[in-house]
Every structure is written in structure tokens, then in C-alpha cells.
Amino acid sequence: MEKDAISPRATRWAVLFDWDGVLVDSSRQHEESWHRLAREEGLPLFPGFFLQTFGMKNEWIMPQILHWTKDPEEITRLALRKEVLFREIVAETGITLCPGAWEWGQWLASHAVPTAIASSTQRANIDLVLEKLALRALFPTIVAAEDVSRGKPDPEVFLVAADRLGVPPHRCVVFEDAPAGVEAGKRAGMKVVALMTTRAPKMLREADRLIADLGASTPSEIERWLFP
């Protein structure tokens, strides 16, 4: 696998961001896309499903948690349709960054810190928002749902991202908002900072550090914590 070129001074640490709920405030749009899909297909959703599943791959949610179907072709069809609906909602209502996301992106880029988005969402969703919010230059490396075969809490997405950046896992810090993502980061052998943007602190207690959102800390603070 070809690695992204980085300068020698940039290898001290790397930052791996989850996407939804960490960089972009997309929970409302995702939840509405699930409801639209369920109405279209006449399929059930149980109370609290979204909080339980946000951050997981559709291909896991549908057969294992919602129990809609175990047919691979049907799962693929429903998963793709769900994300089309998400993008339609974003086009209708817009979308915003989470607090601190822009400032973090600028600082990391200006200090040549290797940075990647490592997410269970589809690449088309990420591309749409990066273009709409003019963020492409700040986050050039993306590992999305299509790039891995196993979703979080499996660590694959973070290990692939670290490999593409050419930084060993123990030098990476993961920013996550979901318990499955926290577990994935820890299983990858990385430090994990959990953001309380979509979950209560008790759901994120396995993380190495808890903060309200990216705006509640700075890259310099995190670097000092990683390398005292």
C-alpha cells in the first residue's frame, strides 16, 4: 500500500479523527436518514437505536442490531440508499463543523502533523462535506467505509490510516465520540481522546482522556500529554 509522503519532522505523532460527531455535526442528518429509509421500506426502528449504533457500519447495524435482513445484496442496497438519503438531507438543510474542528485542522496542517480521517461512513459523504465546507486541503488522507472490511470496534480503520500516514500506532492519537470507536482505537494500540459531543461520559470511560469537544483543548495540549 502506498503511503502518503510526510516530512521527517512530522513523524513524532499523528492524529486520526473519526468523522461524524468529531469533525462534523451530522447526528441529526444521520438519524433522519434512518427514519426516512425505514418509512420507505416499511421496516421497524426501536427506541434508542440511533444512540446505540451511531459510528458503526451500516452493514453491521442492519443485520446484527436492527435485524432487518441477513441477505448480503439487500444489506448493500439498503446501506447505499441510507447514505443517498443522508446526502439529500445535507443538501436540503446544510451541515456544520463541530466546535474546534477548523482550528485543529489549520494548526495540524501548518505544523506538518500527519492527519487522517478514519471513519465508518461512506467516502461520498465525507467528500460532499469537505467540498461544501472547503476543508479538502486540511484533511487530504481519508480512510472510509469502502477502505476496510471490518467496522468499529475492530481496529482495522485506524490501523489502515496509520499505515497510510507511515506512523506507528503507538505514535497515534485517536479522536472519537462513540464507544465502538474508543474500543477500536485502544485495540489498535493508540491513545484515545473521547469527545462528549454525542455520548454521556459514562459511555466513554475506556478512553484515555475525555473532553467536551475539540474546542475544549488544543493540539499543543494534546502533544504535551502524549510526550511529557
Side-chain angles (χ1 to χ4, degrees):
M1 182 182 297
E2 183 177 352
K3 297 177 176 62
D4 296 334
I6 55 176
S7 64
R9 65 180 288 271
T11 58
R12 192 169 185 232
W13 67 306
V15 178
L16 310 182
F17 290 110
D18 180 39
W19 178 245
D20 298 296
V22 172
L23 292 176
V24 64
D25 185 6
S26 58
S27 60
R28 177 179 58 82
Q29 292 88 344
H30 275 295
E31 185 169 14
E32 174 58 22
S33 68
W34 279 109
H35 283 286
R36 289 191 187 185
L37 178 64
R39 288 194 298 269
E40 278 188 2
E41 300 289 333
L43 293 167
L45 292 172
F46 61 84
F49 83 95
F50 186 70
L51 190 62
Q52 181 178 336
T53 60
F54 191 44
M56 298 180 180
K57 289 187 74 170
N58 296 339
E59 291 80 1
W60 173 263
I61 296 169
M62 291 174 180
Q64 302 298 330
I65 299 178
L66 295 178
H67 304 294
W68 281 357
T69 179
K70 291 189 180 296
D71 178 73
E73 291 185 2
E74 185 67 357
I75 291 169
T76 297
R77 182 185 72 83
L78 291 170
L80 292 174
R81 178 58 181 160
K82 186 266 171 190
E83 299 311 324
V84 168
L85 291 169
F86 169 81
R87 292 190 289 274
E88 289 178 357
I89 293 166
V90 170
E92 293 169 8
T93 66
I95 199 164
T96 60
L97 290 176
C98 290
W102 176 261
E103 291 80 6
W104 269 78
Q106 287 187 313
W107 191 97
L108 294 170
S110 66
H111 288 75
V113 176
T115 304
I117 293 168
S119 173
S120 296
T121 199
Q122 288 187 358
R123 181 176 294 271
N125 293 0
I126 299 173
D127 287 340
L128 172 67
V129 177
L130 289 177
E131 294 300 329
K132 286 182 71 71
L133 301 180
L135 294 172
R136 178 73 63 185
L138 298 183
F139 302 102
T141 301
I142 301 168
V143 181
E146 298 92 333
D147 300 308
V148 296
S149 58
R150 301 179 299 277
K152 302 169 188 176
D154 190 280
E156 182 183 13
V157 67
F158 293 129
L159 293 174
V160 170
D163 182 68
R164 289 188 181 179
L165 294 177
V167 180
H170 71 276
R171 292 280 182 178
C172 296
V173 57
V174 167
F175 288 84
E176 264 286 353
D177 68 312
V182 171
E183 181 181 343
K186 297 297 292 181
R187 288 173 62 184
M190 302 173 180
K191 292 290 188 182
V192 179
V193 178
L195 279 60
M196 296 176 284
T197 51
T198 63
R199 305 303 204 289
K202 64 181 180 180
M203 300 180 70
L204 304 167
R205 58 182 177 270
E206 299 302 320
D208 296 292
R209 191 164 181 171
L210 283 172
I211 59 176
D213 52 44
L214 288 173
S217 186
T218 66
S220 296
E221 290 173 350
I222 298 300
E223 184 176 22
R224 286 196 299 270
W225 166 59
L226 283 173
F227 307 105

